[in-house]
Structure formats: structure tokens, C-alpha cells
Amino acid sequence: DAMVIQNPRYQVTQFGKPVTLSCSQTLNHNVMYWYQQKSSQAPKLLFHYYDKDFNNEADTPDNFQSRRPNTSFCFLDIRSPGLGDAAMYLCATSRDRFGTGNTDTQYFGPGTRLTVL
Amino acid sequence: DAKTTQPPSMDCAEGRAANLPCNHSTISGNEYVYWYRQIHSQGPQYIIHGLKNNETNEMASLIITEDRKSSTLILPHATLRDTAVYYCIVSRYTGTASKLTFGTGTRLQVTL
């Protein structure tokens, strides 16, 4: 089945130690997103890629970076994790709006739960 | 961005219809209403979306009022597996991606 895959599902890192989370998709979607979801809160968009074009949200801290080496893969890099960065990180994809009206449905992966010690 | 308002929690007996309301009174004409659900420790699952017409798929029905200021998600025969947090979302297309404005969600508990 076509899907969005996130590895690892659980990640533990130390305060200040860089960490990378990965996302891959078999949907051949053009757009990939990264969200942060803290406990009992709704997901918050960090940034997205439209093809190779990176689009950052205005309030995303510089500590968060992303790479998309090809259509299938996207990485979230946290350069110096703080205790406040402990959260579930969600990857999502969408095809592109062309042919779907003025909207574009997002499909989420299972998430990576990050613990910062 | 348009905001949504949902009741924090609801209960539903298994086999009965679950009707989840949502207010989105500031929605703009080109913004869509989406519903996702999130089962504990998993990623949000897409359920259904609509612009102004009522929609139905294999999972649920979406009823949008004529003025588009509110909507109702209907799960026709709730099961225990439908226990989850349900998010009503307004989606705006920015030119490169859809931007989702999540509500606070309704925690639906389906009981025997």
C-alpha cells in the first residue's frame, strides 16, 4: 500500500545533541510537510517543501532545519534540541492541487515521538 | 486564518450515530472544511472534506450549513475503534500547499 513512513517511531536524544528524523513516501506526492505536536495540543506546521522549494513558517525557530534530497525522502534536523522540543513530529504529504480543485488533501505518517533528556 | 470551535468531548454508544459539530464562522469563500481523527500516539487520519455541498464517503458524512459557518461530521454506526480525537480543520490553499488551521478537537469516546 502507498503510504507515509517515519523512522524511527521513538527517538531519545540528549539536550543539545543534534538529531535527525526521517520521512519517506511511496505516494509520489509533490508536497511534504513537517509538524510538531506537543502533548494534548493540535499539530503545528513547521515548514513544507513544494517539490524542491522550501517554505518556512514565520514562527519556526532556526533550530529546526529540513532537507529533501529527492521526491521520496524528507528529513527534519534539530540542531540543538532543548527540553521544550520534546514532542511528536509528524510528516505529511499532499499531491498538488492541480486537478483537485482549490484544495490539496494531506496524508500523515505515524509520527516520531522525540524525548530530550 | 479561520478558526474552528469544537466541544472538548462527546460520548456515543456503539452502533449509534455520532454527530460531531464544528463552528467555523470566519471561514472564507475559498477555504475548505476538513475532518481528521487521531487515535492515541498515531498520526492524524484523513476522514472527509467539503466546500459547500454535503459529502459522503465510506467512513463518514459531512453536512455543511448553507452559510458555511458550521458543519457536522456524522459517523453513521460508531464502533469502539472510532474512539479518537476528531479535528475540524479549515484548509486554505496558499499556492504551494494547503495550510491547515486545526481546532482544539473533540475527544469522542465510544462505549458498549
Side-chain angles (χ1 to χ4, degrees):
Chain A
D1 287 341
M3 57 197 329
V4 181
I5 302 161
Q6 290 188 246
N7 286 308
R9 293 294 313 278
Y10 300 90
Q11 177 74 55
V12 180
T13 191
Q14 292 180 339
F15 183 93
K17 184 175 181 181
V19 65
T20 295
L21 309 181
S22 74
C23 176
S24 63
Q25 52 127 343
T26 60
L27 297 161
N28 202 32
H29 281 176
N30 203 30
V31 191
M32 295 187 77
Y33 309 75
W34 279 104
Y35 289 82
Q36 179 192 63
Q37 185 176 25
K38 295 188 176 180
S39 182
S40 300
Q41 296 183 20
K44 177 180 179 296
L45 181 64
L46 296 173
F47 27 61
H48 74 272
Y49 273 94
Y50 180 83
D51 194 10
K52 296 180 181 179
D53 294 332
F54 178 71
N55 296 269
N56 200 24
E57 292 299 301
D59 57 354
T60 298
D62 292 340
N63 198 27
F64 292 89
Q65 305 285 319
S66 186
R67 295 170 283 133
R68 189 179 184 185
N70 54 52
T71 300
S72 300
F73 285 87
C74 195
F75 300 97
L76 170 63
D77 300 309
I78 308 176
R79 294 193 297 186
S80 182
L83 298 179
D85 297 326
M88 172 83 87
Y89 290 88
L90 296 160
C91 174
T93 73
S94 64
R95 187 166 66 98
D96 198 327
R97 76 172 176 127
F98 293 108
T100 63
N102 199 28
T103 188
D104 194 19
T105 299
Q106 294 186 29
Y107 297 91
F108 286 81
T112 294
R113 183 167 297 282
L114 178 68
T115 299
V116 181
L117 300 178
Chain B
D1 292 341
K3 288 183 168 45
T4 66
T5 305
Q6 301 176 251
S9 64
M10 292 182 65
D11 292 330
C12 179
E14 190 177 34
R16 305 297 295 268
N19 297 287
L20 289 84
C22 179
N23 286 322
H24 32 78
S25 59
T26 59
I27 194 170
S28 299
N30 61 350
E31 291 176 327
Y32 281 69
V33 178
Y34 274 76
W35 284 82
Y36 284 76
R37 71 182 182 185
Q38 190 171 25
I39 296 170
H40 183 62
S41 294
Q42 297 182 22
Q45 177 190 21
Y46 166 75
I47 301 173
I48 199 167
H49 74 278
L51 183 63
K52 48 187 171 182
N53 297 323
N54 297 338
E55 303 287 345
T56 295
N57 63 20
E58 64 278 3
M59 289 184 69
S61 294
L62 174 60
I63 308 298
I64 302 174
T65 58
E66 194 169 341
D67 63 8
R68 300 209 327 124
K69 292 185 177 181
S70 65
S71 62
T72 301
L73 177 74
I74 301 172
L75 306 178
H77 305 287
T79 72
L80 297 177
R81 292 182 182 180
D82 293 321
T83 293
V85 176
Y86 286 77
Y87 288 104
C88 171
I89 293 163
V90 170
S91 177
R92 176 175 58 87
Y93 192 74
T94 66
T96 62
S98 61
K99 189 161 185 179
L100 306 182
T101 302
F102 282 79
T104 51
T106 295
R107 184 173 298 277
L108 176 68
Q109 180 69 51
V110 180
T111 57
L112 291 172

